Amino acid sequence: MAIFKGAGVAIVTPMYEDGTVNYDKLGELLEEQIAGKTDAIIICGTTGESSTLTHEEHVDVIRYAVEKVAKRIPVIAGTGSNCTDTAIYLSQEAEKAGADGLLLVTPYYNKATQNGLIRHYTMIADSVTLPIILYNVPSRTGCALAPETIAHLVKNVKNIVGVKEASGNISNVAKLMSLVDGEIDLYSGNDDQVVPILALGGIGVISVLSNIAPEQTHNIVASWLEGDVQKSCRLQLEAIELIEALFCEVNPIPVKKALNLQGKEVGPLRAPLFEMEEKNAQRLEKAMKAYGVL
């Protein structure tokens, strides 16, 4: 059984002006997401600035989210690292905290071989009992999961059940689905490719767009799953301008700006990320107004 079907939000981590985590604001965002029909919370992912959280903060944010959501929808914890031992530690702590699943990004910077990736993920999976979603995003990590490697892991490691595909390579996604006969929980990792991924057998998206448009993003997937392909396609295309604006600078710079434009007061970014350039901020604001979320 899949951890979730539909639109899961890769939620931001709100900060106070001094850079500390704003748990009260995080609680508000979680409640708004649930009210907006989001199907799952993905906490401490890329959008949550996980790479600049201390280990203690990382675990505390996961624990807070699990307690706040209180099993109303699944909470999936981002616990990947470029160090296998660190990923094991964070994964075990997330399991202790009560997370429903894990999202494990490929080990960045090290640029592991495919055999190294198999060992890395197998070691992490063997250390926990939670279901695991692999995260393939080579544009950020410099390390790509080959379709054959994903297929090997899904077939041979019982609690590796899915993949968040953010490579942008639809041909590789098709190859993967042929290798596993569709027996994998496939999620789009790119908001502009939700419908193409669904068409190849996907069951949802792990979304940045959901931060500012949770119900609209949910509806893209829900329409498809209900059999209304035409509506799903229309909703996908209507969101393209805003999606492009949300990625005109590196994530999560624009989405935090968008939330602040909405009056959510999610605070600043942690260095080395920096505030959005003014021309891009104007583009984002225009796209938000056109889409009806501002």
Side-chain angles (χ1 to χ4, degrees), residues 31-95:
E31 292 296 340
E32 289 171 1
Q33 286 294 320
I34 294 170
K37 299 184 180 179
T38 286
D39 299 288
I41 302 294
I42 293 78
I43 193 78
C44 292
T46 305
T47 311
E49 297 178 77
S50 57
S51 59
T52 56
L53 297 176
T54 67
H55 292 170
E56 292 78 13
E57 287 174 325
H58 199 130
V59 174
D60 285 346
V61 170
I62 292 168
R63 185 180 299 112
Y64 179 89
V66 169
E67 292 175 356
K68 185 69 174 177
V69 173
K71 298 297 181 183
R72 287 174 287 175
I73 58 175
V75 174
I76 299 163
T79 55
S81 173
N82 67 327
C83 171
T84 304
D85 284 345
T86 300
I88 288 171
Y89 164 75
L90 292 173
S91 299
Q92 290 176 335
E93 290 300 310
E95 183 165 43

Side-chain angles (χ1 to χ4, degrees), residues 111-210:
K111 300 182 77 171
T113 64
Q114 298 302 302
N115 285 335
L117 290 171
I118 289 171
R119 183 175 71 158
H120 171 79
Y121 281 118
T122 301
M123 288 174 66
I124 300 167
D126 286 347
S127 75
V128 293
T129 62
L130 290 176
I132 289 168
I133 300 170
L134 308 176
Y135 181 13
N136 189 30
V137 59
S139 64
R140 293 195 75 114
T141 65
C143 180
L145 276 162
E148 294 81 2
T149 301
I150 300 171
H152 174 89
L153 287 165
V154 169
K155 289 178 180 180
N156 291 280
V157 185
K158 65 179 181 179
N159 55 329
I160 294 180
V161 300
V163 61
K164 175 186 176 183
E165 247 301 334
S167 67
N169 190 329
I170 294 296
S171 296
N172 273 3
V173 177
K175 176 69 172 177
L176 167 63
M177 297 305 278
S178 72
L179 289 171
V180 299
D181 295 322
E183 294 299 315
I184 188 173
D185 296 335
L186 173 66
Y187 302 95
S188 176
N190 294 324
D191 284 311
D192 61 351
Q193 293 185 341
V194 180
V195 167
I197 293 289
L198 291 172
L200 288 170
I203 59 172
V205 60
I206 294 176
S207 171
V208 175
L209 176 65
S210 284

Side-chain angles (χ1 to χ4, degrees), residues 4 24 50 63 66 80 82 109-110 135 141 162 184 188 190 200 215 224 228 235 237 276 293:
F4 79 98
D24 289 339
S50 57
R63 185 180 299 112
V66 169
N82 67 327
Y109 187 77
N110 305 56
Y135 181 13
T141 65
I184 188 173
S188 176
N190 294 324
L200 288 170
E215 188 165 355
W224 181 281
D228 195 339
L235 294 175
L237 295 176
M276 203 171 186
V293 292

Side-chain angles (χ1 to χ4, degrees), residues 205-242:
V205 60
I206 294 176
S207 171
V208 175
L209 176 65
S210 284
N211 280 278
I212 60 170
E215 188 165 355
Q216 295 93 323
T217 312
H218 163 87
N219 288 342
I220 294 173
V221 183
S223 298
W224 181 281
L225 296 178
E226 291 164 4
D228 195 339
V229 172
Q230 187 174 9
K231 180 180 179 181
S232 180
C233 290
R234 175 175 58 80
L235 294 175
Q236 169 79 92
L237 295 176
E238 287 174 354
I240 292 297
E241 182 183 358
L242 177 55

